[in-house]
Amino acid sequence: MSEVQLIVEKLNKEPFNHNFTLVAFDEKSNFELLQVLNEVFAEMDSRHKIDIRDELDEQRTYRYMETLQLLKYQLPPDIESFREGLTHGERYVVYPILYWALKNFSAHKKRAYLGRFLAPLQIRPGELRKEITQLEEESHQLSEKIMHLKKKTANESGFKDILEATSSLRKEQEEQAKLSERKRDQMMGLNIAEKRSREYEHRLNEMRAAINTDMQPDQLFDQLQTQVDRHRDILVNKFPAEFRIQQEKLHHLEAALNEPAKSESDIADMEDEIQNLKATIQNLTEQLNEAQRAAGDDKLAIFRQHANLQTKKLNDKLDELAAAKQEKQTLQRQLEEQEAKIAEVSGPKFMKREEFKQYANTLRNKTNQYKKMKAELAEITAESVVLHRTEQVLKSRDTDLDGLLKEIEASKGVVGYMDTQGKLNEISERNAQVNAFKGETLEEISRIVTDINQTLKERKNQLAPQIKDLRAVRQKYQEMEQTYLEKKAQYDNTAVGLETERIKLEQECTAFQDDCLREESQFHFLNCQIQIENAKLDKVTQEEEFEKGNGKLLRDFRTFQELYKNKVNQQESLTKELRKQQKTLKTNLGDYVVQRGLFDQLLKLLQCKIKLTKSEHDITLKQDFANADIAQFDVGGAV
């Protein structure tokens, strides 16, 4: 059976329960193979039940190498190549490990469980000796403190109830502190997330506004310049200040971490020093007050000076506000003048780019229509000239042309045709005049459009250098933004590292506190054992004194040995007596059984007699009642 076939067969069984085929397993990527390997290790040891996507490659490789060494896996000579292949999930590394692990899975699982307890601890002797000495000193201090408290509270009533109440209070306070710390961490994360959300939302709104609004180039340039200034301020001022604050916190934490542990005496000295400083401050304050009273100074002068200073600041701010309002009015007037100038050129309302394009297309269509109608008008005018000449020729041939036309109209049944034709000619002339006026208007509009295009070209030429500068500023802004993002990422990583270090320190403190409580419990247990052994030792000492003749345990017994011997003799005598009784019972068992049977039969006979007597008595009572009823009936009948 090949390696891959055995691996697939084992993975399809308990406890993995996969449905792999040889082809599907062979097509898996390197990362998926690492996930399968991690799953196998997790079944061996629950410490491997983590998501490898949230873990660094170096940490994962170190964890796998440690597990393989613990399970006595035969590593190849080229460790670096093996480590690199394990990091990237190469098949030539993962397949042999899976084959070796799954071939004897139960034995490896047992070894992984036992290996955690058999692995040597990597502890340096110097540090261990230092910690042992420190723990012994703390244990000695705690012992002295506990003995002192016991002596102090030995005769106090209700101390146990108070002790239980304070212990419960301490546990609740610790739980409350943990919950508060957890709440603070969650609130900090929530604030960071909300801050990022607001920043992203603000940037999104700015981008949407920039897309939806057709801004002028100078406005866009001003907006980008404002953003660049804001980011430069963050990069130059705010970020270094925050970085310095975080560095100071880091140095403070490192200094606190490197300091030796404070003993009870050190804390007492610090408290005494604090009390001395407070007393010194109080004395200096009293001396200052006495000096002020001696000089005739009072606190009202201080408040008066403060009020004058605030009044002066308020007046300065009012002057600045008035100047700002005046400047605002001046700028408003300038803006209105500029809008009026632009309205004279392009109309009373500014047009957007799309509106201007639509207006230009409409104007172009009307111009084409005007040219077409103008050509048709020229043709109609030429034809009208020809017809007018024809009319004059016909009139010269016949002087009474109107009468002839009327006769023709009457014969054809269209009386009034010439009058109508004349009116139509007048209407055509008026239409020609209107079209001529429209042509002049369209020419004027064309001239205005040409002027507008010329003005736009001039404006574009004027803005070309600024647009060029704007592109350079954009490039610089992108570079600054990239630098800012890198610094911000560095800051975030530093903050996360500090937060992780703080959590680690808190965990270590919690572990030390648990160790202290465990040592305290062990101390109490050993103390009780010592008291028990002391009591035994006192009893042995008394026994020795009693044997020497110095005193007597009881009136009838001189030592514990005599007392216990007497009790043993009593028990032996009682045992002998009980055995005699047992022997007597066993010897007379037959007679006793016969006698007990006779007594049982006698008891049954007596019980039967009692029942018969009761039944006879009941029958007699019933007969007496019946006779009494009959006698009463007879007496009634006689009456």
Side-chain angles (χ1 to χ4, degrees):
M1 184 181 294
S2 63
E3 289 185 358
V4 180
Q5 188 174 358
L6 186 139
I7 292 170
V8 172
E9 182 180 352
K10 293 291 185 180
L11 290 176
N12 290 335
K13 295 180 180 179
E14 292 287 343
F16 306 104
N17 297 326
H18 290 291
N19 293 322
F20 291 148
T21 61
L22 291 175
V23 177
F25 184 78
D26 190 63
E27 290 178 352
K28 285 190 173 296
S29 63
N30 294 348
F31 185 77
E32 291 175 341
L33 290 176
L34 288 175
Q35 287 181 331
V36 173
L37 181 61
N38 190 80
E39 184 180 358
V40 173
F41 285 162
E43 289 295 332
M44 293 182 182
D45 191 352
S46 59
R47 292 179 298 175
H48 294 282
K49 289 184 178 180
I50 57 177
D51 192 353
I52 62 175
R53 292 174 295 182
D54 300 333
E55 189 179 23
L56 297 177
D57 294 341
E58 293 79 5
Q59 295 178 355
R60 183 180 65 249
T61 305
Y62 177 78
R63 180 164 56 85
Y64 288 169
M65 292 292 292
E66 185 180 8
T67 303
L68 293 174
Q69 291 176 0
L70 184 65
L71 297 177
K72 301 297 182 181
Y73 179 75
Q74 188 66 32
L75 297 175
D78 191 0
I79 298 295
E80 294 299 329
S81 178
F82 178 80
R83 185 189 298 273
E84 185 176 358
L86 184 60
T87 302
H88 297 92
E90 299 294 340
R91 283 175 168 76
Y92 70 88
V93 176
V94 177
Y95 279 179
I97 296 175
L98 288 174
Y99 177 77
W100 173 82
L102 294 172
K103 187 176 181 180
N104 196 3
F105 181 75
S106 58
H108 293 322
K109 185 175 182 180
K110 183 177 180 181
R111 185 174 183 83
Y113 174 75
L114 297 175
R116 291 183 295 173
F117 306 101
L118 300 178
L121 296 176
Q122 301 295 330
I123 302 176
R124 287 178 287 184
E127 294 183 357
L128 182 60
R129 192 176 298 108
K130 183 179 179 181
E131 291 182 1
I132 291 173
T133 305
Q134 184 178 355
L135 290 174
E136 287 178 352
E137 292 178 357
E138 293 178 357
S139 177
H140 181 67
Q141 292 176 1
L142 289 173
S143 300
E144 291 180 352
K145 191 173 182 180
I146 290 169
M147 293 298 294
H148 178 69
L149 290 174
K150 282 185 177 181
K151 291 179 181 179
K152 187 176 180 181
T153 59
N155 298 325
E156 293 184 2
S157 60
F159 177 73
K160 291 185 178 180
D161 298 335
I162 297 173
L163 182 61
E164 292 178 357
T166 53
S167 178
S168 301
L169 178 61
R170 181 180 59 81
K171 291 180 181 179
E172 293 296 331
Q173 288 177 349
E174 291 177 355
E175 185 68 22
Q176 185 178 3
K178 291 180 181 179
L179 292 175
S180 300
E181 185 69 18
R182 190 179 303 171
K183 179 182 178 182
R184 188 174 66 83
D185 295 338
Q186 292 178 357
M187 290 298 295
M188 185 183 298
L190 178 61
N191 292 331
I192 293 173
E194 289 180 351
K195 184 178 179 181
R196 290 181 179 177
S197 176
R198 286 194 297 270
E199 290 178 357
Y200 293 152
E201 186 176 359
H202 181 67
R203 293 182 63 182
L204 179 62
N205 293 331
E206 288 182 351
M207 294 177 68
R208 286 177 177 174
I211 292 173
N212 296 329
T213 304
D214 293 331
M215 300 178 64
Q216 296 296 329
D218 53 352
Q219 295 177 354
L220 182 61
F221 179 77
D222 294 338
Q223 183 179 0
L224 292 176
Q225 186 66 35
T226 304
Q227 293 179 0
V228 170
D229 294 338
R230 185 172 67 253
H231 291 158
R232 185 183 291 109
D233 179 67
I234 293 173
L235 182 63
V236 175
N237 298 325
K238 294 183 179 180
F239 179 74
E242 293 179 359
F243 185 70
R244 284 195 298 271
I245 292 172
Q246 295 298 329
Q247 278 187 335
E248 291 176 358
K249 288 183 179 179
L250 178 61
H251 294 326
H252 180 69
L253 291 174
E254 289 179 351
L257 184 62
N258 295 327
E259 288 181 357
K262 301 295 183 182
S263 62
E264 192 74 22
S265 59
D266 295 335
I267 295 173
D269 294 338
M270 290 181 180
E271 290 179 352
D272 294 338
E273 186 177 357
I274 291 170
Q275 295 296 331
N276 294 330
L277 291 174
K278 287 182 178 179
T280 304
I281 292 170
Q282 186 176 1
N283 293 330
L284 292 174
T285 305
E286 292 177 356
Q287 293 176 6
L288 180 62
N289 294 331
E290 290 177 358
Q292 288 179 353
R293 285 195 296 270
D297 192 6
D298 56 354
K299 295 182 179 180
L300 291 177
I302 299 174
F303 290 118
R304 192 178 298 110
Q305 183 180 1
H306 183 69
N308 294 330
L309 182 61
Q310 294 298 326
T311 304
K312 184 178 179 181
K313 289 183 179 180
L314 179 61
N315 294 329
D316 294 337
K317 293 297 181 182
L318 290 175
D319 295 336
E320 292 178 2
L321 179 61
K325 287 183 178 180
Q326 186 176 2
E327 185 178 0
K328 179 182 177 182
Q329 293 176 359
T330 303
L331 293 174
Q332 188 70 26
R333 287 195 298 270
Q334 292 178 1
L335 179 62
E336 291 175 357
E337 292 175 0
Q338 295 296 329
E339 287 178 353
K341 290 180 181 179
I342 295 173
E344 292 176 358
V345 177
S346 59
K349 182 181 179 181
F350 298 107
M351 290 188 295
K352 296 182 180 179
R353 184 177 300 173
E354 298 296 332
E355 294 177 354
F356 181 77
K357 288 181 179 180
Q358 185 177 2
Y359 173 72
N361 292 329
T362 305
L363 186 61
R364 192 178 296 109
N365 294 331
K366 288 184 178 181
T367 304
N368 295 330
Q369 186 178 3
Y370 161 73
K371 291 179 179 179
K372 183 178 179 181
M373 294 179 69
K374 187 176 181 181
E376 292 178 357
L377 180 62
E379 293 177 357
I380 293 172
T381 304
E383 186 178 358
S384 175
V385 171
V386 173
L387 292 175
H388 185 67
R389 178 60 181 166
T390 303
E391 181 183 5
Q392 290 179 355
V393 171
L394 291 174
K395 284 182 178 180
S396 63
R397 290 181 181 178
D398 192 354
T399 57
D400 193 9
L401 183 59
D402 294 334
L404 180 61
L405 290 174
K406 289 179 180 179
E407 290 177 359
I408 294 172
E409 289 175 358
S411 62
K412 298 294 184 180
V414 287
V415 179
Y417 173 76
M418 293 302 297
D419 296 336
T420 304
Q421 186 67 30
K423 292 179 180 179
L424 289 175
N425 291 332
E426 291 179 359
I427 292 171
S428 298
E429 291 177 358
R430 293 178 181 176
N431 191 13
Q433 293 176 359
V434 172
N435 290 332
F437 179 74
K438 287 182 178 179
E440 293 177 357
T441 304
L442 290 175
E443 289 178 356
E444 182 68 20
I445 292 173
S446 299
R447 185 181 60 78
I448 293 172
V449 171
T450 304
D451 295 339
I452 291 173
N453 290 330
Q454 185 65 27
T455 304
L456 288 175
K457 289 180 180 179
E458 293 176 357
R459 293 289 181 87
K460 286 182 180 179
N461 294 329
Q462 292 177 359
L463 293 175
Q466 296 180 0
I467 293 173
K468 186 177 180 181
D469 295 338
L470 177 61
R471 291 174 181 172
V473 171
R474 281 182 179 175
Q475 182 67 25
K476 187 176 180 181
Y477 164 72
Q478 292 176 357
E479 295 175 357
M480 295 293 290
E481 186 179 15
Q482 183 66 26
T483 306
Y484 166 72
L485 293 175
E486 292 176 357
K487 296 292 185 181
K488 190 173 185 299
Q490 184 179 0
Y491 165 74
D492 292 337
N493 293 331
T494 305
V496 171
L498 292 175
E499 186 68 17
T500 305
E501 186 69 21
R502 183 186 64 80
I503 294 172
K504 184 178 179 182
L505 290 174
E506 289 181 355
Q507 292 176 354
E508 291 179 356
C509 292
T510 304
F512 289 149
Q513 187 176 5
D514 294 338
D515 293 339
C516 181
L517 294 175
R518 186 168 56 254
E519 294 294 334
E520 184 179 355
S521 176
Q522 184 69 16
F523 165 76
H524 289 301
F525 174 74
L526 294 176
N527 192 14
C528 293
Q529 293 290 333
I530 290 171
Q531 291 179 0
I532 294 171
E533 296 299 328
N534 288 333
K536 292 180 180 179
L537 182 61
D538 292 339
K539 188 179 288 186
V540 172
T541 305
Q542 290 178 2
E543 183 71 13
E544 291 178 354
E545 294 294 331
F546 294 154
E547 288 180 355
K548 291 179 181 179
N550 297 329
K552 185 184 292 186
L553 177 63
L554 296 173
R555 185 184 63 182
D556 299 330
F557 304 101
R558 187 168 58 87
T559 61
F560 287 103
Q561 185 176 4
E562 293 179 359
L563 176 63
Y564 293 147
K565 282 182 179 180
N566 184 31
K567 289 184 178 181
V568 170
N569 293 330
Q570 290 178 0
Q571 294 296 326
E572 288 178 353
S573 300
L574 181 61
T575 303
K576 289 179 181 179
E577 185 66 26
L578 291 174
R579 285 178 180 174
K580 288 180 181 180
Q581 292 180 4
Q582 183 181 11
K583 185 176 181 181
T584 304
L585 290 173
K586 287 181 179 180
T587 304
N588 301 324
L589 180 61
D591 298 336
Y592 291 157
V593 171
V594 174
Q595 187 177 3
R596 180 177 177 82
L598 294 175
F599 274 110
D600 290 338
Q601 293 176 2
L602 179 61
L603 179 62
K604 291 179 181 179
L605 181 61
L606 292 174
Q607 288 177 352
C608 289
K609 286 185 177 182
I610 291 171
K611 289 181 180 179
L612 290 173
T613 303
K614 286 183 177 181
S615 61
E616 290 176 357
H617 180 67
D618 293 336
I619 292 170
T620 304
L621 289 175
K622 289 180 180 180
Q623 290 178 356
D624 292 339
F625 280 121
N627 294 329
D629 291 337
I630 293 170
Q632 185 178 3
F633 178 75
D634 292 339
V635 173
V639 174

